[in-house]
Amino acid sequence: MRPLKGYAQAQAYSDNERLPVGGYVLKILDVKYRDDIRGDVITLSFDIAEGEHKDFFARNYKTQTGEDKRWKGVYRLYVPKDDGSEQDAWTMRRFKTAIVNFEESNPGYHWNWDEQTLKGKLIGALFNNKEYEMEGRHGFFTNCHSLVSAEKIRSGKFKVPEDTLLKKKMSSEYPAGAVPMGDGFMNIPDNVEDEGLPFN
């Protein structure tokens, strides 16, 4: 085999590039409100604010070398449509839970229907493994599953959510009951849309 150009400069994937599942205290760095295919959404860009993995997403961003660098610390909070549907009731409950957790995590803060007031706030978050399959690749990435109070994370009184698995197709290429192992792919697959700019 002939030597490959760029081999010496290439960075190998390693376990430390993937945030371990668990609970973390986050700081919200940017907030955007926009229309999504599923409805209005508040996109929260964050980084780890405390502990061993502090500034994880800033370091992750700096080590990306491709032209499609993107900030991978992102959570989408869907806004209820306020249409009275059963699905909307679930969205309303999830939305209110997130807002109450912001209020509990930031003494003196009260939600005033201005999403920009979330910028700079602390919040707890639970991260699990989420399965992906795209362009012939399969594995798991670390997913911001849900928002909780920062105190819940600091006290250690939380349970990591179970892995989020893909719904199996009728003609699965895996044996029944088998759970494919992860491949150490970066935190979020490249085709997951979102903000590409770092924050000051």
Side-chain angles (χ1 to χ4, degrees):
M1 178 177 180
R2 65 174 176 76
L4 302 172
K5 294 178 187 174
Y7 179 82
Q9 295 81 17
Q11 293 183 0
Y13 288 112
S14 65
D15 290 341
N16 64 2
E17 290 177 312
R18 186 166 174 214
L19 182 70
V21 297
Y24 299 94
V25 175
L26 311 178
K27 182 175 182 179
I28 304 302
L29 303 177
D30 196 32
V31 179
K32 291 191 175 146
Y33 190 104
R34 65 174 192 231
D35 291 334
D36 187 86
I37 295 170
R38 294 172 26 192
D40 290 355
V41 65
I42 298 173
T43 302
L44 304 170
S45 299
F46 59 79
D47 207 344
I48 308 294
E50 300 175 4
E52 174 187 355
H53 297 284
K54 186 177 187 299
D55 302 323
F56 175 87
F57 292 100
R59 288 192 306 276
N60 174 280
Y61 183 83
K62 288 175 188 170
T63 61
Q64 293 177 43
T65 56
E67 291 180 15
D68 60 345
K69 284 177 75 160
R70 61 184 73 221
W71 188 265
K72 296 191 177 190
V74 177
Y75 182 82
R76 290 172 188 81
L77 180 60
Y78 285 90
V79 177
K81 295 177 182 175
D82 215 13
D83 62 9
S85 68
E86 187 176 331
Q87 174 65 32
D88 201 53
W90 181 87
T91 306
M92 183 73 77
R93 187 172 181 187
R94 190 167 176 94
F95 183 85
K96 184 166 185 179
T97 299
I99 296 302
V100 167
N101 285 321
F102 269 108
E103 291 176 333
E104 290 178 2
S105 300
N106 298 276
Y109 174 70
H110 298 288
W111 174 245
N112 65 358
W113 300 101
D114 178 1
E115 69 280 357
Q116 292 303 315
T117 62
L118 299 175
K119 189 172 181 178
K121 300 295 185 284
L122 297 178
I123 189 73
L126 298 176
F127 288 74
N128 72 342
N129 286 313
K130 187 169 184 177
E131 188 177 20
Y132 72 88
E133 187 173 341
M134 65 177 168
E135 299 173 4
R137 294 183 294 179
H138 176 265
F140 289 86
F141 65 94
T142 307
N143 170 55
C144 184
H145 178 275
S146 50
L147 301 179
V148 298
S149 73
E151 186 51 40
K152 182 175 248 189
I153 302 302
R154 292 177 184 132
S155 71
K157 295 179 181 175
F158 62 85
K159 182 180 175 187
V160 175
E162 291 184 18
D163 292 354
T164 303
L165 303 176
L166 293 171
K167 293 179 181 171
K168 297 295 178 195
K169 301 173 191 168
M170 292 301 282
S171 59
S172 175
E173 49 195 271
Y174 304 106
V179 178
M181 297 302 292
D183 65 0
F185 187 66
M186 295 291 287
N187 288 55
I188 297 177
D190 291 338
N191 80 332
V192 174
E193 76 168 72
D194 225 313
E195 324 313 317
L197 298 176
F199 310 98
N200 296 333

